[in-house]
Amino acid sequence: MTVYDDIYEIVRQIPRGKVATYGQIADLAQLYGKARLVGYALYRVDPKSDIPWHRVVNAKGEISHSSLRYGTDYLQKALLEEEGVEFSPEEKINLRQYLWQAPRQAEDTH
DNA sequence: GTCGTGACTCGAT
DNA sequence: AATCGAGCCACGA
């Protein structure tokens, strides 16, 4: 059991057509201020996994990626568009509209 | 064992 | 509004 498992669980809870930021996920995982771990966790995950990694974007609403890995930037944008998420001319997402409103006290379900 | 880097975020200038 | 720097933890060399 690692902190990554919590991150994965949270990412899986992101509803279709919504997006979440690294910082938000980190907060839900009780990792406030450690958003980099979230990015690292998603870096470790494979596109074929059950985790909707494409619904995770940075705080600016843009698609972030390390390097030219699998062209995941385009894939992510395509997947989000299929879910109904619109991109600005600058290829940004309007977080005011599409940001996932995480359930209150998600980290303390018991 | 140390050192550097990374799908990030925030506060201050 | 945009840019710079510091902070956080895990992993690879």
Side-chain angles (χ1 to χ4, degrees), chain A residues 35-91:
Chain A
R36 310 193 89 184
L37 298 188
V38 179
Y40 212 95
L42 291 177
Y43 168 79
R44 303 275 297 168
V45 103
D46 289 325
K48 62 181 178 62
S49 69
D50 300 354
I51 301 171
W53 57 269
H54 57 272
R55 293 182 190 146
V56 183
V57 296
N58 59 17
K60 292 170 288 191
E62 290 186 350
I63 297 173
S64 298
H65 62 111
S66 62
S67 296
L68 303 178
R69 191 153 178 75
Y70 302 103
T72 51
D73 54 345
Y74 174 79
L75 179 61
Q76 182 169 9
K77 180 170 179 280
L79 290 171
L80 290 175
E81 284 182 334
E82 265 190 63
E83 296 187 353
V85 178
E86 297 182 36
F87 282 77
S88 302
E90 300 176 1
E91 305 207 5

Side-chain angles (χ1 to χ4, degrees), chain A residues 10-11 13-22 24-25 28 52-63 76-77 79-81 83-87 92-102:
Chain A
I10 293 167
V11 174
Q13 291 173 26
I14 302 174
R16 191 172 185 275
K18 291 282 185 178
V19 297
T21 64
Y22 295 95
Q24 187 175 9
I25 293 169
L28 293 174
W53 57 269
H54 57 272
R55 293 182 190 146
V56 183
V57 296
N58 59 17
K60 292 170 288 191
E62 290 186 350
I63 297 173
Q76 182 169 9
K77 180 170 179 280
L79 290 171
L80 290 175
E81 284 182 334
E83 296 187 353
V85 178
E86 297 182 36
F87 282 77
K92 291 184 184 177
I93 300 172
N94 185 357
L95 297 178
R96 297 287 183 180
Q97 183 176 0
Y98 295 108
L99 182 63
W100 172 46
Q101 295 182 356

